[in-house]
Amino acid sequence: MALVALTESDSDNGRTAMTDSSQRDALLEARYGQQAAPVNIIWNEQIEALLAHRSVRAFTDEPLPDGALETVVAAAQSASTSSNLHQWSLVAVSDPETKAELARLTHGAEFTGFDFVAQAPSVLLWIADMSRSHAISVEQGGKPVVTDYVDAFLMASVDAALAAQNGLVAAEAIGLGGVYLGSLRNHAKELSDLIGLPAYAYVVFGMAVGTPDPHRPSAVHPRPAQDVVLHRERYRTRPVEEWIEDYETAFKAFRAEYGLRDKTWSHSVAVSTGLDYMDGRENLRRTLEERGYLLR
Ligand SMILES: Cc1cc2nc3c(=O)[nH]c(=O)nc-3n(C[C@H](O)[C@H](O)[C@H](O)COP(=O)(O)O)c2cc1C
């Protein structure tokens, strides 16, 4: 049983926690399984919402409510942005034909499973976008060479990721759900053509967003115990054997509870390090170079 003793102070910056402690315990247990959960979480509504995150891959047919996209974008624009350069953009797709194309690019043409990408009312394409900086620099008579360097690529990609995560959190806060789609990089060139991307821009990932289908709810996935990811003062290299069994237990229990095929987490990790897993993303560097990111 996870050891959880939450603070009794429910008020933080005027926010009032909505849950009683048994709900909090349940949420922390879902997040950490039977591993030791942190005992001193400072709880409020915002923290609770973050800890309750789960990816959603089944949506109702409802379109996004009026104002939802603008709310997501306002939250995304409120994320920090490197050097105040705003080097990201978003293409929001709701057209069924374009979504069907996105589904094909995500799953591959031969896919016969449940197609949540085409079914989602909206697919958001988060773009690392140096095109505005490049154009402004040229217009000012400058020579934009920074775009040739890997750091510029990273800067714009980080900006896009921070914006996207704020956007997803906002979507969840207004009753929507979503899931990232890294698989949209499998065919990065085709995707760029499909949405008419300019040079110095590429799609970092997509995000399917909509109203979660109450008949096919998703669940909170367990994470490794905090001491696997949290190092204090200095990085402490630990043998994997020291912690993996506990996480495998939480992972296995989660999969059993939700009727998922029995497999170990370490097997998934091993699969993710094989070339087959890249599914076209091994060509990303070439596409990036064609798009103006020289990655020096
Ligand atoms: C950058 C990124 C790319 C992802 N790409 C995909 C994807 O292509 N397809 C998918 O079904 N889930 C994708 N996911 C969702 C992860 O599988 C999911 O976050 C993870 O399994 C943990 O589950 P949770 O989000 O429900 O906690 C992606 C997540 C991230 C952060």
Side-chain angles (χ1 to χ4, degrees):
M1 179 66 200
L3 289 171
V4 182
L6 293 144
T7 55
E8 288 310 312
S9 146
D10 283 350
S11 177
D12 181 68
N13 293 335
R15 291 170 183 280
T16 307
M18 298 299 288
T19 44
D20 61 33
S21 59
S22 63
Q23 283 170 293
R24 298 178 203 172
D25 287 3
L27 194 47
L28 278 171
E29 191 168 337
R31 185 54 79 205
Y32 292 102
Q34 301 298 307
Q35 306 165 107
V39 295
N40 52 355
I41 297 284
I42 300 165
W43 206 264
N44 63 36
E45 267 182 67
Q46 203 169 354
I47 299 299
E48 180 182 324
L50 289 169
L51 267 65
H53 158 78
R54 75 274 323 258
S55 290
V56 171
R57 299 181 181 81
F59 305 98
T60 68
D61 293 336
E62 289 166 75
L64 294 191
D66 186 38
L69 182 59
E70 292 77 5
T71 304
V72 164
V73 173
Q77 288 187 290
S78 300
S80 294
T81 165
S82 203
S83 299
N84 200 30
L85 292 175
H86 318 288
Q87 295 192 116
W88 63 273
S89 294
L90 175 62
V91 171
V93 175
S94 56
D95 172 62
E97 273 179 32
T98 314
K99 279 191 299 170
E101 271 303 286
L102 294 177
R104 185 181 67 76
L105 295 177
T106 301
H107 304 304
E110 60 293 334
F111 179 77
T112 54
F114 174 62
D115 185 358
F116 64 90
V117 176
Q119 197 242 343
S122 184
V123 181
L124 307 181
L125 304 173
W126 297 93
I127 295 158
D129 190 354
M130 298 191 300
S131 70
R132 289 185 296 263
S133 299
H134 193 274
I136 290 168
S137 172
V138 169
E139 152 76 20
Q140 300 266 317
K143 270 205 181 136
V145 291
V146 158
T147 42
D148 295 354
Y149 290 88
V150 73
D151 188 63
F153 158 78
L154 189 61
M155 211 175 178
S157 304
V158 168
D159 260 24
L162 298 180
Q165 180 60 16
N166 258 21
L168 180 58
V169 169
E172 291 174 349
I174 57 174
L176 301 173
V179 61
Y180 283 93
L181 299 169
S183 48
L184 272 174
R185 289 193 308 276
N186 294 1
H187 303 279
K189 184 173 164 37
E190 270 184 81
L191 177 57
S192 307
D193 294 343
L194 179 70
I195 58 168
L197 271 192
Y200 306 107
Y202 87 99
V203 175
V204 184
F205 40 65
M207 185 186 280
V209 179
T211 301
D213 182 346
H215 303 296
R216 291 170 295 172
S218 47
V220 169
H221 267 75
R223 302 293 196 247
Q226 285 204 349
D227 62 5
V228 175
V229 295
L230 171 63
H231 305 253
R232 295 183 193 268
E233 315 308 338
R234 282 176 62 81
Y235 194 96
R236 180 174 53 109
T237 305
R238 289 175 72 192
V240 169
E241 306 80 67
E242 245 182 62
W243 55 267
I244 197 159
E245 217 177 293
D246 286 348
Y247 185 51
E248 291 287 19
T249 303
F251 185 81
K252 195 179 168 65
F254 172 83
R255 294 190 70 82
E257 184 174 353
Y258 292 98
L260 301 168
R261 185 170 55 85
D262 189 26
K263 64 170 183 180
T264 62
W265 177 69
S266 39
H267 174 72
S268 308
V269 173
V271 168
S272 79
T273 61
L275 196 56
D276 275 357
Y277 186 75
M278 296 208 76
D279 222 1
R281 296 193 300 282
E282 66 275 19
N283 303 317
L284 184 61
R285 186 188 185 117
R286 198 168 59 224
T287 305
L288 286 169
E289 285 173 354
E290 285 165 10
R291 306 205 58 69
Y293 287 84
L294 300 190
L295 306 178
R296 284 206 179 121

